[in-house]
Amino acid sequence: ESPVVVEPGGFIERELTQAMHIQASDPVLVMQMVASQNSDNASTGNAALFTALGPSQWNKTISSTAMQVRQSGAKRYAIQYLTVIADTSAFRNLVIDGQPYDFTPKPIPGSSYGYFIRKVADGTHTVECSSPCGVTMSGVGSLHRYSSPGDIRYPVQPYLLPRFSVPDIEAAT
């Protein structure tokens, strides 16, 4: 694809059908928007918008929370995803939640970077790469969606976790 020139203060809006590599001679702000879908399927949801962090903001170790909100006792996000982006060589020693993860990343055209997307359980997940990597966490549910860049660890709050009564805890121990 040929280079695109954007004047200061201008913007470009594109629909993505695959990962995109962006290079700029000056600092740029990249936002990613996931459009809403008109469906009640558990894998679709409302629109979500977040700032996409570039390599200068990546780290070798990133912890991020797969947030879960409950409505009337039910999970709001049926499926949650962890996305990791890194130089393809960094995936050789990738560790997720203390476990080595061996796979071939999908390439990002026009770059030395690759990525993968993996379903994850609720809670905080830690990604360790041999070189800086970027992480995105997202969740989708019946007409609900969230996306957030890595290194966002939500504090433990009653609305994020199921509530346990003392008898429940004693029974579990």
Side-chain angles (χ1 to χ4, degrees):
E1 193 170 304
S2 60
V4 175
V5 177
V6 180
E7 297 299 322
F11 70 94
I12 298 172
E13 185 175 332
R14 295 243 169 111
E15 184 173 320
L16 296 179
T17 57
Q18 65 179 19
M20 178 183 278
H21 180 240
I22 299 170
Q23 273 186 292
S25 57
D26 293 310
V28 295
L29 176 64
V30 177
M31 304 292 289
Q32 182 173 342
M33 167 117 183
V34 180
S36 62
Q37 299 178 22
N38 188 13
S39 171
D40 197 28
N41 185 309
S43 64
T44 62
N46 289 335
L49 176 70
F50 69 97
T51 304
L53 302 178
S56 65
Q57 296 169 306
W58 295 352
N59 293 306
K60 288 185 178 182
T61 301
I62 298 174
S63 293
S64 192
T65 302
M67 182 178 69
Q68 187 58 260
V69 177
R70 300 189 186 277
Q71 290 179 296
S72 304
K75 290 183 176 186
R76 178 177 283 180
Y77 307 111
I79 305 170
Q80 303 205 64
Y81 298 98
L82 171 75
T83 302
V84 177
I85 306 164
D87 190 281
T88 53
S89 63
F91 287 102
R92 279 180 265 166
N93 301 313
L94 182 70
V95 174
I96 300 174
D97 296 333
Q99 299 296 315
Y101 196 74
D102 185 28
F103 68 97
T104 302
K106 293 181 181 180
I108 296 176
S111 76
S112 63
Y113 296 106
Y115 72 97
F116 82 94
I117 300 170
R118 172 185 164 182
K119 289 181 184 178
V120 292
D122 302 344
T124 300
H125 300 276
T126 302
V127 176
E128 300 171 66
C129 298
S130 58
S131 65
C133 60
V135 170
T136 299
M137 191 67 72
S138 59
V140 293
S142 180
L143 302 178
H144 297 285
R145 181 186 313 263
Y146 80 89
S147 291
S148 64
D151 259 354
I152 293 184
R153 285 166 274 192
Y154 294 100
V156 176
Q157 298 288 340
Y159 64 87
L160 293 176
L161 303 170
R163 294 185 179 163
F164 293 103
S165 66
V166 173
D168 291 335
I169 295 170
E170 290 175 353
T173 58

